[in-house]
Amino acid sequence: KSTLVVAEHNNEALNPITLNTISAAKKIGGDVTVLVAGTKCGPASEALSKVEGVTKVLVAENAAFNGFTAEALTPLVLAAQSQFKFTHILAGAPDSALSQRVPGGPTEFRQSGDHRVKSETPLAHIYAECIYLNPDAWPEPRVIVSGGRGLKSGDNFKLLYDLADKFGAAVGASRAAVDAGFVANDLQIGQTGKIVAPELYIAVGISGAIQHLAGMKDSKTIVAINKDPEAPIFQVADIGIVADLFKAVPELTGKL
Amino acid sequence: MARVLVGVKRVIDYAVKVRVKPDKTGVVTQGVKHSMNPFDEIAVEEAVKLKEKKLAEEVIAVSVGPAQSQEVIRTALAMGADRGVHVEIPAAEYELLQPIHVSKILAKLALDEKADLVILGKQAIDDDANQTAQMTAAVLDWPQGTFCNKIEKTDAGLTITREIDGGLETIKTKTPAVLSADLRLNTPRYATLPNIMKAKKKPLKKVTAKDLGVDTSPRIEVISVEDPPVRQAGATVADVDALVAKLKEGGHI
């Protein structure tokens, strides 16, 4: 067996999803080759050479890869495949959507959007969205403080940033908060936003729509602060507190 | 003036609580309310808007699936699409249909219909695959504009704002192209009753995958479909002090 992992990076640093993808490749077994393409591949290839289990790093530096478009990267992956005949090709689910474009290309690939490596089928596979793999190894924030429509305004998110500072936490938001214009869409956690699984997830003023729960229910410990005792978030919370967030959050921040 | 092909998928309605079949082969669809995939509604809205702005001359709504798929084509027609194409896949076969098959079907139709743009929802809310637009672009070897937040026509082609991790990305692309609609591209209109009545008279063509020369034999095997582990609700605490104590207990602070 031999697996090609397509690295994701921004010419400055390696995207952590690549490490998850390498973990998946190691589970398949055999050699793990990583392909780094970009306009400046030094930092990413250097980081990769230190990753345990990587057999070989292929580097393709070219102005054509500026912007990392799937249109430019797909032929490169296909060329690597025709030269090295990998049994599996893995990529994350990056913005460039490469992992989806390659299987539709001129070479016939089998493709899977499966979130876990369960079986080994002897043909090239691409596993999209490897982020579910090996959550213990996540270089992601240990704690996430997330706000919903209950925050009432973007300014009020300051309460969450203050609380997050106490934990060294990242701040997230529900779709309702994003749609209401409180915060930018890149903070969105949920089915159509980011999927996260931190040690501690503090949901503040979030009712717990099923689409939001889909994005955070794998968190180890969930804390919910909401004034509505009927809010569905309490059905998944390990620790719930029915309280006015505008009082409870500053009090909590003060006591930490 | 462009011709736009827009894909519409019939999925379990977003408000329905999905149940896994006892034999773990899939989810229960019988007797469950279905509707158009919400991201496809956004795609249809964008296509109809292009027509209203005289940037498109015709909008063709395509659905791939069993007989009931015609319902969502009618919805698209009521929203303003001009005509429909139903690619009928028998129900039993449809359960095994994968994004790669749908991509090949859409690509073939895009060429047959001489489409300049294919607009699809970024993902369907039933399997969340987020693959069809990208694979359609690859099959056609056309540029792709995924996760569109804004689509603007320029002399040279299109300027597209994309929703990506960490913000927005703006790209320029030539046409023909395949685009996928993200949540904030627009707010889909409701079909009004007069338009629903009018939609019944709009042309709807039925074809099969075989007519289009697309092999739909399964390429991946679904081993098992399972419910996510149920999370037990924990205790509610009375005040912030008790919350702090619990966090200490759990080693979080």
Side-chain angles (χ1 to χ4, degrees):
Chain A
K1 285 182 201 121
S2 63
T3 301
L4 175 68
V5 169
V6 185
E8 213 201 332
H9 69 112
N10 62 2
N11 288 324
E12 284 167 17
L14 193 64
N15 187 316
I17 199 172
T18 303
L19 300 176
N20 299 114
T21 315
I22 292 170
S23 305
K26 285 198 286 198
K27 284 188 184 178
I28 291 165
D31 285 351
V32 178
T33 301
V34 185
L35 172 63
V36 188
T39 49
K40 192 167 152 259
C41 302
S45 350
E46 200 171 309
L48 281 165
S49 63
K50 293 176 190 142
V51 176
E52 201 199 315
V54 173
T55 326
K56 199 193 290 178
V57 179
L58 305 174
V59 178
E61 222 168 77
N62 194 302
F65 305 131
N66 186 23
F68 305 98
T69 63
E71 291 88 334
L73 293 169
T74 300
L76 176 70
V77 175
L78 297 177
Q81 172 62 15
S82 70
Q83 188 176 343
F84 295 100
K85 313 273 186 243
F86 301 102
T87 56
H88 298 70
I89 304 176
L90 309 194
D95 299 324
S96 67
L98 174 74
S99 53
Q100 292 90 357
R101 182 156 180 127
V102 171
T107 310
E108 285 283 314
F109 285 98
R110 287 172 181 245
Q111 203 252 7
S112 164
D114 197 342
H115 290 180
R116 291 161 212 265
V117 178
K118 268 195 178 160
S119 66
E120 296 164 1
T121 315
L123 268 172
H125 263 70
I126 290 203
Y127 294 95
E129 298 186 61
C130 290
I131 53 170
Y132 272 101
L133 289 155
N134 195 7
D136 296 336
W138 274 32
E140 293 226 335
R142 202 180 56 81
V143 182
I144 294 175
V145 179
S146 198
R149 208 197 314 256
L151 267 292
K152 292 200 168 77
S153 78
D155 290 342
N156 289 335
F157 264 72
K158 182 173 184 311
L159 293 173
L160 301 193
Y161 281 101
D162 290 345
L163 176 59
D165 278 349
K166 296 280 180 178
F167 289 102
V171 171
S174 69
R175 177 182 162 187
V178 174
D179 283 356
F182 298 171
V183 289
N185 69 284
D186 55 323
L187 292 190
Q188 187 178 321
I189 289 168
Q191 188 182 22
T192 60
K194 280 192 182 61
I195 293 173
V196 298
E199 287 286 313
L200 178 63
Y201 188 89
I202 305 180
V204 181
I206 291 178
S207 64
I210 191 147
Q211 290 83 356
H212 185 75
L213 301 185
M216 46 63 81
K217 64 174 168 43
D218 290 329
S219 306
K220 285 232 170 70
T221 302
I222 297 172
V223 172
I225 302 175
N226 202 305
K227 68 177 179 197
D228 175 12
E230 302 299 321
I233 190 79
F234 287 119
Q235 286 163 23
V236 300
D238 300 286
I239 313 171
I241 173 164
V242 180
D244 178 358
L245 72 93
F246 295 103
K247 285 184 190 136
V249 172
E251 189 186 343
L252 178 60
T253 306
K255 284 178 175 164
L256 292 173
Chain B
M1 293 287 259
R3 184 171 288 122
V4 185
L5 196 74
V6 57
V8 290
K9 185 178 185 182
R10 179 178 174 268
V11 298
I12 293 179
D13 188 83
Y14 73 94
V16 170
K17 177 145 173 39
V18 173
R19 285 179 300 130
V20 172
K21 283 191 211 164
D23 66 359
K24 297 186 178 178
T25 55
V27 299
V28 177
T29 53
Q30 288 256 323
V32 171
K33 186 186 177 200
H34 282 66
S35 50
M36 190 193 294
N37 174 38
F39 289 102
D40 296 347
E41 289 182 354
I42 300 172
V44 173
E45 175 66 32
E46 197 65 17
V48 171
K49 275 207 173 111
L50 287 173
K51 189 177 171 187
E52 287 167 349
K53 286 187 226 159
K54 314 261 182 237
L55 296 171
E57 59 179 326
E58 190 182 29
V59 177
I60 307 164
V62 181
S63 192
V64 183
Q68 301 94 316
S69 301
Q70 292 196 3
E71 296 160 15
V72 294
I73 298 179
R74 291 291 172 200
T75 307
L77 296 174
M79 287 172 73
D82 298 289
R83 60 188 171 92
V85 178
H86 174 213
V87 183
E88 188 166 23
I89 310 279
E93 213 178 293
Y94 183 61
E95 286 188 13
L96 301 169
L97 199 75
Q98 300 293 336
I100 185 77
H101 304 129
V102 179
S103 298
K104 286 181 176 177
I105 289 168
L106 292 173
K108 180 70 171 53
L109 284 172
L111 295 176
D112 288 355
E113 300 284 357
K114 298 186 173 52
D116 304 279
L117 269 185
V118 177
I119 311 181
L120 308 175
K122 77 160 174 176
Q123 69 195 60
I125 61 164
D126 49 3
D127 56 14
D128 275 341
N130 179 0
Q131 294 166 348
T132 304
Q134 296 89 332
M135 289 200 282
T136 304
V139 174
L140 289 162
D141 198 20
W142 288 3
Q144 65 188 43
T146 49
F147 318 142
C148 293
N149 173 293
K150 200 174 180 189
I151 300 169
E152 291 162 293
K153 178 88 181 73
T154 61
D155 290 340
L158 300 168
T159 299
I160 292 161
T161 310
R162 307 177 58 226
E163 296 202 7
I164 59 166
D165 278 358
L168 297 171
E169 180 181 76
T170 305
I171 60 165
K172 285 182 189 165
T173 181
K174 289 181 181 141
T175 52
V178 179
L179 310 180
S180 80
D182 212 321
L183 203 57
R184 298 173 187 86
L185 180 60
N186 59 48
T187 307
R189 70 194 66 190
Y190 288 102
T192 60
L193 190 59
N195 285 340
I196 291 171
M197 299 311 287
K198 268 186 230 159
K200 290 184 179 166
K201 292 189 187 120
K202 289 186 179 175
L204 200 167
K205 185 171 74 177
K206 200 162 97 175
V207 295
T208 64
K210 207 174 159 197
D211 296 338
L212 300 170
V214 176
D215 173 13
T216 54
S217 50
R219 295 161 53 115
I220 69 172
E221 180 194 355
V222 176
I223 299 161
S224 175
V225 176
E226 287 166 41
D227 273 313
V230 179
R231 224 188 145 98
Q232 293 297 327
T236 306
V237 296
D239 53 28
V240 171
D241 286 328
L243 173 59
V244 172
K246 280 267 186 194
L247 288 174
K248 273 195 184 135
E249 211 176 283
H252 297 296
I253 47 174

